[in-house]
Amino acid sequence: MDPQRQLRQALLRAGKSLLQAFKEDSDPGIRNSALWSLAASGVDAEMLDVSVFIYAVHHYIPTPPVSFAAPLAFSGASWVPDGIDRISRLPDDVLCNIISRLPPKDAARTAAIASRWRPLWRSAPLVLVVSLLLLQGRASAAPRAVTAVVTRILAAHPGPFRCVHLTCSNMDEHRNELELWLLLLAAKGIQELTFLNHRWPINLRLPATLFSCASLTRLYLGVWRLPDTAAVPRSAIFLNLRELGLCFDVMEERDLAFMLERSPVLEILTIIGSQSGVRLRLVSHSLRCVQLGITRLEDIDVVDAPRLERLLQWDVGQHHVSKNRGKKPSSRIKIGNAPNLRLLGYLEPGDNEIEIRHSVIVAGTKENIVPSVKIMAIQVQFGVRNALKKVPGYLRCFPNLETLHVQSRRDVEPAGKVNFKFWQEGDPIKCVLQTMKKVFFHEFRGSRSKVAFLKFVAEKAKVLEKMVILVASGCFSSRVDVKAKLKPLTSAKWNSKVCKVELFQSPFIEGGDPYFSHRLATDFSCPDPTIRELSVF
């Protein structure tokens, strides 16, 4: 097919998916499918319209701590009905905190309220969100106008810089400003930085000046090439960095390793859509959550991560489908010292190999298991017998599993008979027999192999409390049809007498993609980020 025609068709499919996602404010999986519609067409990365990537990056970057309320009206303000200005009586530190949460234009306008407010904007920790400057008319959309306004604000404000979102500039045309901005940010104590490069080229390298921003606590980089760390002094360190996000960046393995090594208190690592395949080696005594999505990682090696609680990956390897003749490259997940690893997903039996390095003594014998994992999500092709053969082995690695999420991938032509007897064969699965309390089956379409799996769990799980079935969109016309497909469950000999079966409508329009909230994944007060509000079928 003509490459240009191929690109147009891929972009059209992506655009339709993005439009549908935007209209319905739907799940990340639907948005991600727009990206995969490009990749599945064999479109090379250099041909992609970078706006698609920019859309995805904006979904994953943090929301700035700024109020998006209507512009303030200071003249004749109705909020002082008795003529007493109580707000101005507040201490300076409280007023500065208020100012730092306003959009830049409104924050500067506070100087017009009264003499009490005039020095406060310059002493308040700066929150600069470039997109709000554009909305408030402080700069046109032209790159030169944007960068000029940003340069003036960064130079004029004495600091500290609480939060800066630089997300609206094509920095290839402003490389001098790029170096200057990083120097100003470093000198004035930047705490949270989100820096997104717009448009081409998508592999513009960040200068090593980034490592001078030692005060950073949160850093998100989008559509860059990571700095060349070969010449960076070994003394460079992100001493305060607790959260790092790399979104659609080009990175060499040594540069990624250097950034992680130079971040001794890092707790949250998010890698979305890396433009190059790398190996991820985790040696950290601070990491608690690692998220990997829309990317290709040949190996994930958890060498020594004693505080790691969550390891989440989704759509790993998908964007290299076309280069492997329709087959996803397999990857290996190596689990070494991770005694607090509680949540693991989305594993794909047949595509992801698990290697457990440390054995555990159980009943006097050594077993290669991860006893700490309580919640696991797997993505399974129920029509492929060879993939299903891997599932029992996966489950045996996690003997204390309490919650299992099973994501049914799109049905393919069955390759081998899979029935209830298939699941009964082989050695017992300890977690199913003794510890499993909740099972969530996502994207149920009614095939016999899926029903056979659910029946197997029903008849074996002794402490099962809840079985939740999410029905794939458009597969059934009524609840009656779903119950007809699930009839074998009603005749099953349930091992648990208290288990409840609940039916919900899948949140996906076309189904098939794993769901979890990447924001909830970093909220450690949320026990399971793969659960969302559901609609009864």
Side-chain angles (χ1 to χ4, degrees):
M1 181 184 294
D2 175 67
Q4 292 301 318
R5 182 183 176 190
Q6 185 182 48
L7 175 59
R8 286 194 299 272
Q9 291 182 353
L11 288 174
L12 178 62
R13 287 193 297 273
K16 288 180 178 178
S17 296
L18 290 173
L19 180 61
Q20 189 69 44
F22 177 77
K23 284 181 177 178
E24 303 191 10
D25 191 26
S26 47
D27 300 293
I30 298 173
R31 296 184 177 95
N32 295 346
S33 68
L35 300 175
W36 298 141
S37 68
L38 296 170
S41 299
V43 180
D44 207 36
E46 288 74 19
M47 297 177 61
L48 296 178
D49 185 332
V50 77
S51 61
V52 177
F53 288 100
I54 299 302
Y55 181 95
V57 172
H58 274 283
H59 175 71
Y60 289 106
I61 62 177
T63 302
V66 177
S67 171
F68 287 83
L72 298 177
F74 295 112
S75 59
S78 60
W79 36 269
V80 283
D82 55 3
I84 301 175
D85 183 3
R86 293 182 174 85
I87 294 181
S88 293
R89 296 180 178 181
L90 294 172
D92 282 3
D93 58 342
V94 176
L95 294 178
C96 287
N97 193 303
I98 293 173
I99 291 173
S100 70
R101 296 176 185 275
L102 297 174
K105 184 176 180 180
D106 289 334
R109 289 175 65 200
T110 58
I113 298 176
S115 58
R116 169 81 169 82
W117 290 75
R118 284 169 193 162
L120 293 178
W121 181 76
R122 286 176 57 82
S123 60
L126 178 69
V127 174
L128 173 59
V129 182
V130 175
S131 57
L132 288 183
L133 290 176
L134 296 173
L135 289 174
Q136 294 186 318
R138 285 292 300 275
S140 69
R144 292 188 182 278
V146 174
T147 53
V149 171
V150 171
T151 300
R152 286 200 300 270
I153 294 176
L154 294 181
H157 199 286
F161 293 167
R162 177 186 169 199
C163 177
V164 176
H165 270 230
L166 305 173
T167 59
C168 296
S169 296
N170 177 6
M171 296 309 301
D172 186 44
E173 301 176 7
H174 305 278
R175 300 194 183 209
N176 291 335
E177 287 91 342
L178 172 58
E179 186 84 24
L180 175 61
W181 288 0
L182 291 175
L183 287 172
L184 289 171
L185 292 169
K188 299 181 180 182
I190 179 65
Q191 296 176 25
E192 298 184 12
L193 173 62
T194 297
F195 202 177
L196 170 60
N197 179 38
H198 261 242
R199 302 181 178 88
W200 303 102
I202 59 177
N203 64 343
L204 179 62
R205 188 181 288 279
L206 274 167
T209 315
L210 175 70
F211 285 94
S212 63
C213 300
S215 56
L216 279 167
T217 59
R218 173 191 272 179
L219 174 63
Y220 273 74
L221 302 172
V223 199
W224 293 100
R225 180 181 288 274
L226 293 190
D228 183 1
T229 58
V232 177
R234 298 299 299 177
S235 58
I237 188 170
F238 290 126
L239 190 60
N240 304 291
L241 188 63
R242 297 187 178 276
E243 184 173 350
L244 174 62
L246 304 173
C247 304
F248 292 92
D249 292 309
V250 177
M251 61 185 80
E252 281 75 37
E253 194 171 319
R254 69 174 187 183
D255 298 330
L256 174 61
F258 185 91
M259 290 194 75
L260 297 181
E261 179 187 342
R262 299 289 89 195
S263 305
V265 297
L266 189 68
E267 294 184 353
I268 298 169
L269 172 64
T270 300
I271 301 177
I272 304 294
S274 72
Q275 301 175 40
S276 53
V278 295
R279 291 180 174 87
L280 179 62
R281 189 172 184 269
L282 299 177
V283 179
S284 171
H285 285 206
S286 59
L287 266 177
R288 298 179 63 191
C289 177
V290 176
Q291 299 187 82
L292 312 164
I294 321 176
T295 185
R296 181 173 71 91
L297 294 171
E298 298 173 3
D299 280 323
I300 303 169
D301 193 354
V302 185
V303 180
D304 185 22
R307 294 190 66 200
L308 184 64
E309 300 172 34
R310 300 178 175 188
L311 176 57
L312 289 158
Q313 62 167 356
W314 70 101
D315 292 331
V316 173
Q318 293 281 0
H319 70 291
H320 286 266
V321 169
S322 62
K323 295 184 179 181
N324 290 274
R325 297 183 180 179
K327 295 182 179 180
K328 283 180 56 180
S330 61
S331 61
R332 178 176 298 177
I333 300 174
K334 304 175 184 179
I335 302 177
N337 183 36
N340 287 306
L341 183 59
R342 184 177 183 274
L343 174 60
L344 182 63
Y346 273 89
L347 303 181
E348 299 188 39
D351 290 328
N352 298 137
E353 299 178 15
I354 294 181
E355 178 183 311
I356 300 173
R357 288 179 170 167
H358 298 303
S359 57
V360 177
I361 303 296
V362 179
T365 61
K366 292 184 177 181
E367 295 184 4
N368 290 328
I369 60 174
V370 185
S372 60
V373 173
K374 304 292 184 181
I375 303 171
M376 187 173 69
I378 58 176
Q379 195 173 6
V380 183
Q381 285 184 304
F382 275 85
V384 180
R385 187 180 180 91
N386 286 336
L388 287 177
K389 286 181 179 179
K390 304 275 186 172
V391 175
Y394 265 56
L395 296 180
R396 291 189 186 99
C397 293
F398 309 99
N400 297 320
L401 194 65
E402 295 179 358
T403 301
L404 174 65
H405 291 268
V406 180
Q407 180 79 24
S408 173
R409 289 174 57 181
R410 294 181 183 277
D411 287 326
V412 296
E413 184 178 348
K417 187 177 180 181
V418 177
N419 52 23
F420 181 69
K421 184 179 179 182
F422 168 88
W423 294 104
Q424 290 182 308
E425 295 172 347
D427 296 331
I429 303 174
K430 183 179 178 181
C431 66
V432 175
L433 293 175
Q434 298 181 9
T435 63
M436 193 171 293
K437 297 178 180 179
K438 299 176 184 178
V439 173
F440 293 80
F441 195 101
H442 302 255
E443 300 306 312
F444 177 76
R445 294 182 178 85
S447 69
R448 292 183 179 179
S449 58
K450 299 179 178 68
V451 176
F453 173 78
L454 292 173
K455 183 180 179 182
F456 165 74
V457 173
E459 294 199 355
K460 296 295 182 180
K462 185 180 298 184
V463 296
L464 192 65
E465 299 172 358
K466 181 185 294 187
M467 179 181 287
V468 179
I469 300 172
L470 285 80
V471 180
S473 177
C475 286
F476 302 95
S477 58
S478 69
R479 189 180 179 92
V480 175
D481 294 335
V482 178
K483 286 187 174 182
K485 285 290 184 180
L486 292 173
K487 189 175 181 180
L489 285 182
T490 60
S491 59
K493 299 178 181 178
W494 288 74
N495 205 356
S496 171
K497 306 304 180 184
V498 298
C499 182
K500 296 180 180 179
V501 179
E502 300 177 1
L503 292 179
F504 293 97
Q505 179 71 55
S506 169
F508 293 100
I509 297 173
E510 296 181 0
D513 294 318
Y515 174 83
F516 72 90
S517 168
H518 67 280
R519 290 187 172 88
L520 287 180
T522 60
D523 180 0
F524 296 102
S525 66
C526 174
D528 190 348
T530 62
I531 299 177
R532 56 161 291 160
E533 185 177 345
L534 300 170
S535 301
V536 176
F537 184 80

